[in-house]
């Protein structure tokens, strides 16, 4: 594995060219693929935008997704008369995946050389769940995940205000941006971000919702967007590889009880992770590790999750193994990715039991990630205050390769 990672971190020019050409061909081959979400939701939403004048449509509550995604879908719909509705939908997803690769570069560049970071960004384009989520499925999880990864990079570079803005942008696309909460809280507890910067998150959300409000959508509707979304489904787990997928196969848990327990467990885990790791936020690898643990444990404990909700964890696991290529890191990215892919297969390939089996892989990935945190981030190490922390790579000793 070290030899594999050494090659991956040192792509030559011809490697980049071959990978980009292969990626383009793969994406084009994926564009015609159909699934229930494209057929039942994304195509009707696109037609609604086309039939109601795009901007005017933003004033209507015609979609389950947040307005920022619909803005991009409206932009993509301009290509529909030329390339077709489905390719226009997939185009938005593919652009989101490309943005994700740029975000990965920004994160990896906090520690690695430019070429190494470019190698990681290029490989992000063919990460299994990145391909399955965007070009195959036509989904937009790359958008909020890009913002979350940019937030991690901004925290590493000691730009807390910029990081909070990125968190607000992630939440504007999808509520799943909340999976970055343990890292945000750890930064606050460590004094690496000021508490007032939390106000930037809702401010960013408000700015993102302005076009929809100007188009006529009620402000209260936009403010309560995610709260109302929470009432759409009444399942503790919807083909997601988390603990509720296992529990509901073993015991009968009343829905209200499960929701209450899951919310309390996720909130408790967020606080526990933040408190346990607050003193270990100087090394870029350690910051990514904290973000990764949060991105696994929060959707693992939360009820009402869906099969794509470990997407952020998939990408952060890839970033972590690129930054710290140890055998355990390789196993973490394998297990997390397998867990996600099995849950994807439940929907895309109608694989019976895929999410249930995937839940055990995700459980193992969570256990290994926690072990990594315990061994890499021992208790008692002091954290530098905000004013003393370095802003750029190479400006203080923690960036020297160990």
């Amino acid at each position: 594995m070290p030899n594999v990672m050494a090659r991956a971190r040192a792509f030559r020019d011809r490697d980049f060219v071959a990978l980009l050409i292969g990626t383009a061909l793969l994406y084009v081959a994926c564009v015609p693929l159909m699934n229930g979400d494209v057929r039942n939701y994304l195509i009707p939403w696109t037609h609604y935008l086309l039939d109601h004048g795009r901007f005017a449509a933003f004033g209507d509550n015609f979609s389950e997704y947040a307005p920022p995604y619909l803005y991009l879908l409206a932009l993509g719909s301009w290509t529909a008369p030329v390339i077709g509705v489905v390719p226009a939908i997939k185009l938005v997803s593919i652009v989101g995946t490309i943005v994700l690769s740029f975000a990965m570069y920004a994160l990896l560049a906090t520690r690695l050389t430019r070429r190494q970071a470019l190698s990681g960004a290029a490989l992000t384009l063919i990460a299994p769940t990145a391909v399955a989520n965007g070009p195959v499925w036509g989904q937009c999880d790359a958008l909020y995940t890009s913002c979350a990864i940019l937030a991690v990079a901004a925290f590493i570079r000691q730009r807390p205000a910029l990081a909070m803005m990125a968190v607000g942008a992630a939440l504007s696309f999808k509520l799943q941006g909340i999976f970055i909460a343990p890292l945000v809280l750890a930064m606050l507890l460590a004094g690496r971000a000021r508490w007032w910067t939390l106000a930037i998150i809702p401010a960013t959300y408000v700015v993102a919702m302005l076009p929809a409000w100007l188009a006529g959508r009620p402000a209260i509707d936009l403010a309560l967007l995610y709260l109302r979304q929470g009432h759409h489904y009444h399942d503790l787990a919807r083909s997601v590889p988390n603990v509720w997928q296992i529990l509901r196969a073993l015991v009968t848990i009343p829905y209200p009880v499960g929701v209450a327990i899951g919310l309390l467990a996720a909130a408790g885990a967020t606080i526990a992770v933040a408190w346990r790791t607050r003193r270990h936020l100087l090394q870029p690898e350690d910051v990514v590790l904290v973000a990764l643990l949060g991105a696994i444990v929060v959707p693992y404990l939360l009820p009402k999750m869906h099969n794509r909700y470990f997407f952020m964890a998939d990408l952060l696991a890839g970033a972590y193994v690129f930054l710290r290529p140890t055998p355990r890191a390789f196993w973490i990215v394998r297990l997390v990715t397998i867990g996600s892919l099995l849950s994807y297969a439940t929907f895309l390939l109608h694989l019976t039991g895929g999410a249930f089996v995937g839940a055990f892989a995700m459980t193992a990935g969570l256990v290994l990630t926690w072990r990594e945190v315990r061994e890499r981030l021992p208790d008692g190490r002091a954290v530098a205050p905000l004013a003393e922390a370095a802003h750029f790579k190479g400006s203080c000793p923690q960036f020297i390769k160990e």
Side-chain angles (χ1 to χ4, degrees):
M1 285 305 174
N3 292 333
V4 172
M5 185 53 66
R7 176 65 186 274
R9 283 172 134 195
F11 271 12
R12 293 166 292 182
D13 291 342
R14 66 182 184 185
D15 296 324
F16 282 113
V17 172
L19 189 146
L20 292 177
I21 292 175
T23 299
L25 294 174
L26 175 63
Y27 284 12
V28 169
C30 292
V31 167
L33 299 178
M34 291 288 291
N35 59 76
D37 280 354
V38 172
R39 187 178 300 108
N40 300 325
Y41 300 101
L42 298 176
I43 290 178
W45 296 346
T46 305
H47 282 304
Y48 192 95
L49 287 166
L50 292 171
D51 295 341
H52 292 78
R54 295 184 179 87
F55 181 78
F58 298 152
D60 301 329
N61 185 13
F62 67 94
S63 168
E64 295 178 4
Y65 282 10
Y69 170 71
L70 300 178
Y71 307 156
L72 298 178
L73 189 61
L75 288 174
S77 70
W78 286 99
T79 66
V82 178
I83 64 176
V85 172
V86 173
I89 293 169
K90 295 290 187 78
L91 178 62
V92 176
S93 301
I94 289 171
V95 170
T97 307
I98 294 171
V99 172
L100 179 64
S101 72
F102 281 99
M104 186 63 74
Y105 171 81
L107 177 57
L108 297 178
T110 61
R111 174 62 151 163
L112 303 177
T113 66
R114 180 177 179 273
R115 181 162 290 269
Q116 288 173 337
L118 281 173
S119 299
L123 288 172
T124 299
L125 294 171
I126 57 170
T129 49
V131 175
N133 190 287
V136 173
W137 203 327
Q139 282 294 344
C140 60
D141 297 278
L143 296 173
Y144 82 85
T145 300
S146 299
C147 297
I149 288 176
L150 288 173
V152 177
F155 276 131
I156 291 172
R157 292 194 178 276
Q158 291 301 307
R159 304 291 178 84
L162 187 60
M164 295 301 186
M165 189 181 301
V167 172
L171 289 170
S172 298
F173 279 109
K174 283 200 171 186
L175 185 58
Q176 289 92 292
I178 199 69
F179 300 158
I180 201 71
L183 176 62
V184 173
L185 183 56
M187 287 288 176
L188 292 167
L189 293 174
R192 299 287 298 279
R194 306 305 185 196
W195 287 92
W196 67 263
T197 58
L198 283 175
I200 298 174
I201 296 176
T204 304
Y205 181 89
V206 169
V207 171
M209 300 300 153
L210 278 179
W213 178 73
L214 292 172
R217 192 162 178 179
I220 189 65
D221 188 21
L222 295 168
L224 301 179
L225 178 67
Y226 294 131
L227 184 63
R228 290 174 177 171
Q229 282 183 1
H231 297 295
H232 286 173
Y233 304 102
H234 290 80
D235 296 330
L236 293 177
R238 289 181 66 86
S239 300
V240 59
N242 70 1
V243 67
W244 295 102
Q245 193 69 239
I246 299 173
L247 289 177
R248 75 175 190 171
L250 301 176
V251 295
T252 300
I253 304 174
Y255 173 77
V257 174
V259 169
I261 293 174
L263 290 174
L264 289 173
T270 296
I271 295 171
V273 169
W275 184 260
R276 172 63 177 75
T277 62
R278 72 194 188 283
R279 298 183 182 277
H280 309 278
L281 301 172
L282 286 178
Q283 295 275 9
E285 298 94 327
D286 295 341
V287 175
V288 173
L289 178 58
V290 174
L292 170 60
L293 178 59
I296 298 176
V297 73
V298 175
Y300 185 83
L301 295 174
L302 276 176
K304 299 172 67 68
M305 297 289 98
H306 290 218
N307 31 22
R308 304 187 317 275
Y309 286 10
F310 284 95
F311 186 75
M312 186 191 300
D314 300 337
L315 274 296
L316 285 172
Y320 184 68
V321 76
F322 221 77
L323 291 168
R324 186 174 273 157
T326 63
R328 181 183 292 161
F330 273 102
W331 274 109
I332 290 171
V333 72
R334 286 187 192 123
L335 290 167
V336 172
T337 300
I338 289 171
S340 286
L341 286 176
L342 285 171
S343 67
Y344 280 35
T346 301
F347 178 81
L348 295 173
L349 302 177
H350 308 290
L351 177 65
T352 302
F356 180 75
V357 176
F360 289 96
M362 195 63 69
T363 301
L366 174 58
V367 170
L368 286 184
T369 305
W370 174 242
R371 288 185 61 185
E372 184 80 352
V373 168
R374 290 189 60 186
E375 294 181 15
R376 293 282 182 180
L377 314 180
D379 288 330
R381 190 168 72 184
V383 61
L386 181 64
E388 296 178 5
H391 286 254
F392 298 103
K393 183 176 70 172
S395 59
C396 63
Q398 77 267 14
F399 290 106
I400 299 174
K401 186 174 180 181
E402 296 175 354

